[in-house]
Amino acid sequence: MRLSVIGCGYVGLVTGACLAEAGHDVICTDIDADRIAQLKAGQIPIYEQHLDKILVSAGKSGKISYTVDAGEAIRFGDAIFICVGTPPRPDGSADLSAIDHVAQQIAAEARSPKLVVEKSTVPARTGIELQRALSAYSRGNGGFRVASNPEFLREGTAVEDFFHPDRIVVGVEDPAAAEQLREIYRPILEHKFTCPVHDGKCPDTHKAEFLVTTISSAELIKHASNSFLALKISYANAVADLCEKLGANVEEVTHAMGLDPRIGTQFLKAGLGFGGFCFPKDIQAFISLAATVGVDFEILKAAERVNKQRIDRFFDKVSKALWVVKGKRVAILGLAFKANTDDIRFAPALDVMKRLLDEGAEVHACDPEALDKAKKQFPQAHYHGDPYSALEGAHAALVCTEWDVYKKIDWDRAGKLMARKLVVDGRNLYQPEKMKALGFEYFSFGRE
Ligand code: UGA
């Protein structure tokens, strides 16, 4: 099928690339002309595992192309995936102006009926408003059908998640739209693709469920899922605080809790809390949406509050350990909001960095992928690709992202390079006994 993707950010680029890899003819467009120029030149503007491989293969087979001309993109596809940003407004609600702008473009440029699919995370009822807007902007002549097809991709494993989803949710108003979307996802549902992640030897994953719902349900499913996961993390963090006070070990507690299948082991990892461009903004947008219809989502407000306090709790540990922060050389291990991505949006590490700089510390940060982005935001810090070089002469090492390479640090070697053997671990990567045996002052979450 011929498909158009509007917006070449994390969601749009992965969606476009994977749909092309699954056999469709895809055109991608973005208002950022530099981004399109980069893509045309074979450069990939984001770091996402396996994305480079599929963009190269889809480019060679002619399955994917890029254009700055939104009209060209709109006219090309039978279905148009809207993957533009929905950033938070000052009151926490989602800014839908980019979606509205795309609706105007579609209405003006389309020459045939289109299925318009919202993939961006949007509050419930956006689809209905989008349908209304398309009809108004085209003066009722467009013949547009609208569907919601939320994405559940995690950054870092987005390509794998696309080819091996738990569920594909399509919110539609008419059965024909559901059938068109089922056709688009048929290669995934019937496993008819060469898996770029497992080189053809995919693990025996269960089949994805194809769920057809109303548009509003589909939109709610996305917000309700992300908010629930965020809630789980904040719950684990509150339990961690309690463990510290009561002399228990949060890992023992959450592991045992998670063995109950009703709870599950995932998203119970205590530490610096959740960041990224999804959970913090989605939880805010969900609270704000609920308020507009008179529902006080108190439980989510608490989850948000617990998450914000993580940075204070972490910084308390750092400043108690260091006594005086001013003038200290501090190494930050990890800047990305989580491992395997270069994304630093709402990354807890950046809040930590800002506090350290404000207090007058000399910050030496390292990250395998996110250095360029962080440098632009905090030019006054020092940056290192190699963790041992960041740790040299440091009075403290602060672990902010759970990159594998930091799990494998040789702390015996690092300790000899550091000015003081002090580690404050925001991701509980190491065993306290082992670190203490190596002569480190070691602080983490929920395990004192
Ligand atoms: C999240 C969801 O997991 C995806 O399903 C969804 O599609 C995506 O948002 C989105 O809305 O686009 P993502 O933001 O990539 O994906 O990252 P996660 O792996 O969910 O992690 C989110 C944050 O929670 C990270 O900062 C991570 O470090 C933190 N986290 C995660 C914890 O602090 N503890 C945990 O146990 C798990």
Side-chain angles (χ1 to χ4, degrees):
M1 207 180 290
R2 286 156 71 101
L3 306 175
S4 315
V5 174
I6 304 186
C8 292
Y10 281 94
V11 174
L13 206 50
V14 173
T15 303
C18 293
L19 287 170
E21 184 71 11
H24 297 294
D25 294 302
V26 178
I27 190 163
C28 299
T29 187
D30 199 292
I31 46 164
D32 183 343
D34 289 344
R35 184 162 277 234
I36 294 296
Q38 262 183 302
L39 286 163
K40 280 186 169 173
Q43 294 157 11
I44 302 169
I46 56 167
Y47 171 75
E48 185 62 50
Q49 291 187 92
H50 310 292
L51 186 60
D52 48 355
K53 195 161 61 177
I54 51 178
L55 281 177
V56 168
S57 83
K60 272 193 193 142
S61 62
K63 286 281 174 196
I64 197 163
S65 61
Y66 313 95
T67 177
V68 275
D69 180 354
E72 181 193 353
I74 287 162
R75 284 186 291 278
F76 176 88
D78 303 313
I80 301 170
F81 285 82
I82 303 182
C83 303
V84 295
T86 51
R89 294 196 302 182
D91 67 356
S93 64
D95 179 349
L96 301 175
S97 54
I99 303 234
D100 179 53
H101 176 67
V102 170
Q104 293 181 43
Q105 285 181 318
I106 294 175
E109 301 287 351
R111 300 286 176 266
S112 56
K114 306 280 179 190
L115 175 65
V116 179
V117 186
E118 26 157 81
K119 199 114 188 78
S120 310
T121 301
V122 290
R125 304 195 62 78
T126 303
I128 290 162
E129 291 298 335
L130 179 60
Q131 178 81 65
R132 225 160 53 93
L134 284 167
S135 167
Y137 296 142
S138 64
R139 296 172 189 267
N141 294 325
F144 300 111
R145 280 169 299 126
V146 167
S148 164
N149 172 220
E151 55 87 16
F152 302 103
L153 311 177
R154 292 162 298 172
E155 285 182 26
T157 53
V159 173
E160 180 169 0
D161 293 345
F162 189 94
F163 285 103
H164 300 286
D166 310 309
R167 75 279 207 210
I168 294 170
V169 175
V170 300
V172 294
E173 280 191 320
D174 63 304
E179 272 326 294
Q180 201 173 344
L181 279 156
R182 192 189 292 277
E183 210 40 51
I184 292 171
Y185 284 106
R186 191 174 298 286
I188 309 296
L189 293 165
E190 295 179 358
H191 213 281
K192 290 202 172 111
F193 56 85
T194 312
C195 180
V197 179
H198 304 106
D199 289 326
K201 293 181 219 86
C202 299
D204 222 1
T205 42
H206 69 276
K207 278 183 80 176
E209 294 230 18
F210 187 80
L211 301 171
V212 181
T213 68
T214 63
I215 294 180
S216 288
S217 291
E219 291 163 337
L220 262 173
I221 288 166
K222 168 70 191 214
H223 262 147
S225 302
N226 272 8
S227 295
F228 185 76
L229 292 171
L231 201 63
K232 249 185 127 178
I233 297 168
S234 279
Y235 185 83
N237 280 324
V239 171
D241 289 350
L242 211 51
C243 287
E244 274 177 38
K245 302 277 181 212
L246 300 175
N249 179 321
V250 70
E251 248 117 58
E252 291 172 357
V253 175
T254 51
H255 174 68
M257 279 168 62
L259 293 180
D260 180 336
R262 292 170 303 172
I263 297 175
T265 49
Q266 296 192 54
F267 282 72
L268 285 178
K269 199 130 187 46
L272 264 172
F274 56 81
F277 204 56
C278 300
F279 285 1
K281 96 175 158 68
D282 288 358
I283 202 170
Q284 273 183 17
F286 209 30
I287 292 168
S288 159
L289 170 75
T292 61
V293 289
V295 174
D296 189 359
F297 224 144
E298 200 54 56
I299 193 171
L300 288 188
K301 291 183 194 163
E304 201 187 14
R305 199 167 55 242
V306 168
N307 198 54
K308 285 199 175 122
Q309 286 163 354
R310 304 319 291 162
I311 307 295
D312 301 329
R313 302 262 307 107
F314 187 69
F315 205 76
D316 276 353
K317 289 174 195 282
V318 174
S319 47
K320 267 192 199 132
L322 277 176
W323 182 39
V324 173
V325 175
K326 189 174 176 185
K328 295 283 161 59
R329 182 173 165 145
V330 180
I332 296 184
L333 303 182
L335 297 169
F337 82 96
K338 64 172 192 178
N340 302 318
T341 175
D342 62 346
D343 195 348
I344 56 168
R345 291 175 297 175
F346 297 99
L350 295 199
D351 288 329
V352 171
M353 166 114 90
K354 184 171 180 327
R355 294 261 183 117
L356 288 168
L357 291 168
D358 287 350
E359 295 264 338
E362 182 187 318
V363 177
H364 288 255
C366 77
D367 190 281
E369 296 294 338
L371 291 186
D372 290 344
K373 290 187 172 159
K375 271 181 204 166
K376 285 188 195 133
Q377 227 164 309
F378 293 103
Q380 64 275 52
H382 306 264
Y383 293 93
H384 306 257
D386 173 31
Y388 297 99
S389 130
L391 289 165
E392 202 162 340
H395 295 100
L398 313 188
V399 181
C400 292
T401 313
E402 67 286 13
W403 284 99
D404 260 350
V405 30
Y406 303 150
K407 290 182 189 159
K408 293 179 191 146
I409 282 182
D410 175 351
W411 282 106
D412 196 24
R413 175 182 162 201
K416 291 182 182 123
L417 298 170
M418 293 174 72
R420 176 173 170 180
K421 291 172 84 171
L422 168 62
V423 174
V424 187
D425 181 356
R427 296 293 175 189
N428 286 3
L429 294 194
Y430 316 111
Q431 287 312 314
E433 313 76 51
K434 283 196 187 150
M435 294 304 281
K436 280 176 190 151
L438 286 170
F440 276 88
E441 302 167 78
Y442 177 73
F443 303 94
S444 58
F445 278 106
R447 310 191 295 176
E448 312 301 83

